């Protein structure tokens, strides 16, 4: 039975956003032969350059949000746009197949696509270091490992049609760790939200260090001069002297600058009564914003990365388990998490687009109540 026939009998309040609100699904059936005309997921393989062979999925929610999931890059998200406005940042490396991944030191920067989402970890990330004669690079390995058991489907969840992509990413080493990340990415028809769940299981026989970072990256034209960060900040620590100089204006994006040096800020954020954090990046000129929602118990740290350079123009809001000092320093400061044999840990992130003043003001108000 086709997905369209399954949803035909359902009622979605307000109809599908890109259609007239008075439309119902019976009327929509009169205009389309298949739901893919409006929303869904398209599966294909990239063919050019260093991206050759990377399997990708284009997702359209039917409400204006479109994004691309890369199966061969840990089910991370590359391109994303809202009604034609690009939201994320693609670095000068472009999309790079995992074949070209270089782990040591900062060599991973040669394949750092960034996109809307790059996952870093699972056992290290941050400042490179060496432990037990093993070089630990800046990005970790998980975002450069192809996924297995990939499934793309549409289904009904609480009477709502959804688009789902799932798979498993195996980070394993002979005589080393054996961690499996099961990732699920979900969007509902007619909504501008992405729900990302990562279930990490230690399938080996030894306790392992666990470090995970959702490196969520925003770029032009969504990110431009005046785009502003809204967050309920309990405390903020600049990473270094360069960041200290930019502390006063850390919330605001400026114009691209020559020889700009990255600024990194460690933010302690307030939660609601259920332990959730909400942060938002707002572009008042375009009348759109993007929020992130996550559980602080799962992801206790938060990093703001600000890079306003020419061609390197990006701001990242990064819920994570650890700061970016690297595993050696995190261990010394007693901030390193571990995952026991057979244990599964769950990490969730919600990313949503705010369309217009009403939606933006609601999120601003919610954040202000957390202060």
């Amino acid at each position: 039975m086709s997905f369209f026939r399954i949803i035909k009998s359902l009622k979605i309040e307000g109809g599908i956003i890109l259609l007239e609100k008075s439309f119902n699904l019976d009327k929509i059936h009169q205009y389309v032969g298949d739901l893919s005309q409006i929303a869904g997921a398209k599966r294909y393989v990239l063919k050019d350059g260093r991206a050759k062979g990377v399997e990708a999925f284009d997702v359209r929610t039917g409400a204006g949000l479109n994004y691309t999931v890369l199966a061969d890059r840990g089910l991370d998200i590359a391109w994303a746009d809202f009604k034609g406005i690009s939201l994320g940042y693609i670095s000068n490396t472009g999309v790079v197949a995992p074949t070209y991944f270089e782990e040591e030191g900062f060599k991973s920067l040669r394949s750092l696509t960034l996109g809307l989402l790059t996952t870093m970890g699972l056992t290290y990330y941050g400042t490179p270091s060496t432990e037990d004669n093993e070089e630990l690079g800046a990005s970790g390995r998980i975002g450069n490992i192809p996924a297995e058991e990939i499934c793309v489907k549409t289904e009904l969840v609480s009477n709502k049609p959804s688009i789902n992509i799932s798979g498993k990413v195996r980070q394993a080493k002979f005589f080393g760790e054996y961690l499996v990340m099961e990732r699920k990415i979900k969007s509902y028809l007619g909504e501008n939200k992405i729900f990302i769940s990562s279930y990490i299981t230690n399938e080996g026989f030894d306790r392992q260090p666990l470090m995970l970072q959702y490196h969520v990256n925003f770029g032009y034209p969504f990110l431009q001069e005046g785009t502003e960060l809204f967050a309920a900040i309990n405390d903020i620590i600049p990473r270094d002297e360069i960041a200290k100089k930019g502390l006063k204006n850390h919330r605001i994006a400026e114009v691209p600058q020559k020889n700009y040096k990255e600024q990194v800020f460690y933010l302690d954020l307030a939660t609601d009564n259920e332990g959730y954090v909400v942060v938002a990046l707002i572009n008042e000129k375009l009348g759109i914003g993007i929020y992130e929602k996550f559980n602080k118990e799962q992801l206790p740290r938060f990093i703001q990365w600000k890079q306003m350079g020419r061609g390197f123009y990006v701001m990242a809001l990064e819920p994570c388990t650890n700061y970016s000092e690297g595993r050696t320093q995190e261990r010394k400061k007693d901030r390193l998490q571990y995952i026991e044999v057979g244990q599964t840990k769950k990490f969730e992130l919600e990313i949503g687009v705010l369309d217009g003043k009403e939606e933006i003001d609601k999120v601003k108000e919610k954040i202000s109540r957390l202060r």
Side-chain angles (χ1 to χ4, degrees), residues 6 14 27 36 74 94 122 148 163 202 247 258 283 296 300 338:
I6 292 174
K27 288 185 178 180
S36 63
L122 291 174
E148 310 170 25
I163 305 162
N202 183 354
L247 180 59
K258 185 177 180 180
N283 185 320
K296 192 174 181 180
Y338 292 88

Side-chain angles (χ1 to χ4, degrees), residues 227-280:
T227 301
E228 184 174 359
L229 168 66
F230 288 83
I233 301 174
N234 293 326
D235 190 25
I236 180 169
I237 302 173
R239 185 182 66 177
D240 51 28
E241 291 300 321
I242 295 174
K244 283 183 181 179
K245 294 178 181 178
L247 180 59
K248 183 179 179 181
N249 295 315
H250 80 98
R251 294 177 181 265
I252 307 295
E254 297 102 5
V255 298
Q257 301 170 33
K258 185 177 180 180
N259 298 324
Y260 187 93
K261 302 299 182 183
E262 66 178 6
Q263 298 178 3
V264 177
F265 306 94
Y266 300 144
L267 279 59
D268 177 39
L269 300 176
T271 69
D272 63 17
N273 292 332
E274 296 180 338
Y276 284 90
V277 172
V278 176
V279 298

Side-chain angles (χ1 to χ4, degrees), residues 222 228 230 278 280-291 352-368:
F222 170 66
E228 184 174 359
F230 288 83
V278 176
L281 201 58
I282 308 295
N283 185 320
E284 300 283 3
K285 296 177 184 177
L286 296 179
I288 62 174
I290 302 179
Y291 73 86
V353 178
L354 306 171
D355 185 15
K357 187 177 187 300
E358 182 177 351
E359 292 186 9
I360 289 173
D361 287 346
K362 283 183 179 179
V363 169
K364 283 184 179 179
E365 182 182 354
K366 184 173 184 177
I367 293 172
S368 68

